[in-house]
Amino acid sequence: MNILHLSDLHFGTRHWDGNNQILLDKINSYPADLVINTGDSTTDGLESEFQDAGAFLKGITCENIISIIGNHDKRNMRTNEYYKKYIDHDEVILPSRPKLTTKKDLYLKPDISKTKNYFTDHNYIKLITVDNMTLLVVCIDSNVLYQDEGFVEEEILRNISEQIGRIKYDKSMMLIHHSILVGDVTPLLNPLTLTTFIREHKIEDVFCGHTHLFDLRKSTDLCFNSSFTQYMVGSLSSRNRVADYNMFLYLQGWGTSALQIHLIKIFLDDDVMSFAEELIYEENHCCLTV
Ligand SMILES: [Fe+2]
């Protein structure tokens, strides 16, 4: 299976000045079976930004595109409505015991909000089949309304676990906006909750974004003899600090012993866009360069 990993499109005021069609042509030049978008498709969660992000994502020719929500997408009470309208229509997993939830602003107050949807989280699971391999994709909402730090609601994880227990699949992966293994100034506040969930479900790969930086690392739990790999990709199309470039990842042969990971760097110099591709990892080879 070939996978493209994109993140942090940041449509809106933080979106870059590059040509989106040239970027789309580059993305579409890879024979991807699955495209992953790990959140912050917008800058301020505005409807116009969701509309632009949705139009961009529809320009990707791959038939399997899976997006999750980021902290920038969750900056107003209508985020969930806009997200469902323009980005993803999958059924959201609700906690069956709402009174036991602890996540801040998980529910909006009906008397002060005019939204159609009072639940603010967007967690779901998806099954896709490629080359006779059935892949379970667990999509986690690590974002809190109006907040940049991440937090994952345990009651929702419990319900996701119940659903996972009823289905059959060959491999699994998790998509989450915040990094589980790498901290930054606005980190995930309860990462241990996730590592337990990952271990229980034997999830081998986690894909995230948020920091606008690239990082690839494996975590091994010596007590439980389990491990997972985290792919953290930088932004696809944002205005970063001067020295930072945009990027995306191409995982060729994911799920096989022939896995190759390519980092595609995107440069914008006086409105001229250029790309540089580096092979940064090969399964069964230990020599990596970035
Ligand atoms: Fe973010």
Side-chain angles (χ1 to χ4, degrees), residues 8 10 39-40 70-72 143 148 177-178 186 209-212:
D8 295 79
H10 278 292
D40 279 359
N71 57 306
H72 276 263
N143 311 286
D148 288 329
H177 183 62
H178 291 81
T186 54
H210 183 57
T211 62
H212 293 206

Side-chain angles (χ1 to χ4, degrees), residues 67 194 196 231 283:
S67 292
L194 264 306
T196 304
Y231 298 82
E283 194 82 1

Side-chain angles (χ1 to χ4, degrees), residues 68-188:
I68 57 166
I69 210 159
N71 57 306
H72 276 263
D73 301 320
K74 221 165 177 176
R75 291 201 162 159
N76 68 65
M77 292 186 183
R78 289 212 157 97
T79 289
N80 227 350
E81 276 179 49
Y82 297 153
Y83 196 79
K84 282 187 162 182
K85 187 172 175 186
Y86 297 108
I87 308 279
D88 182 86
H89 321 286
D90 279 275
E91 196 174 330
V92 170
I93 295 170
L94 300 167
S96 52
R97 303 183 299 181
K99 285 187 177 159
L100 297 183
T101 59
T102 59
K103 188 168 182 171
K104 188 171 150 281
D105 292 323
L106 190 59
Y107 293 91
L108 298 172
K109 294 183 178 66
D111 51 333
I112 60 166
S113 156
K114 291 185 201 166
T115 63
K116 295 179 196 138
N117 189 344
Y118 298 115
F119 187 64
T120 63
D121 244 21
H122 201 97
N123 301 273
Y124 65 104
I125 58 174
K126 202 157 181 146
L127 281 176
I128 64 165
T129 302
V130 175
D131 297 335
N132 295 322
M133 179 206 290
T134 302
L135 171 67
L136 169 71
V137 186
V138 182
C139 301
I140 298 294
D141 187 345
S142 58
N143 311 286
V144 183
L145 198 67
Y146 310 130
Q147 183 177 302
D148 288 329
E149 292 85 1
F151 185 85
V152 174
E153 173 53 56
E154 267 189 272
E155 272 299 301
I156 294 175
L157 290 184
R158 206 179 59 80
N159 281 28
I160 294 173
S161 289
E162 281 179 13
Q163 293 203 14
I164 291 176
R166 291 196 288 268
I167 53 183
K168 284 195 163 48
Y169 53 91
D170 301 310
K171 286 186 80 64
S172 59
M173 63 169 63
M174 175 187 283
L175 314 189
I176 181 167
H177 183 62
H178 291 81
S179 163
I180 296 171
L181 300 177
V182 180
D184 70 335
V185 290
T186 54
L188 180 67

Side-chain angles (χ1 to χ4, degrees), residues 1-3 250-256 258-262 277:
M1 183 182 294
N2 299 329
I3 298 175
Y250 178 56
L251 286 71
Q252 190 176 356
W254 179 85
T256 73
L259 170 67
Q260 287 189 340
I261 303 172
H262 304 263
E277 180 174 321

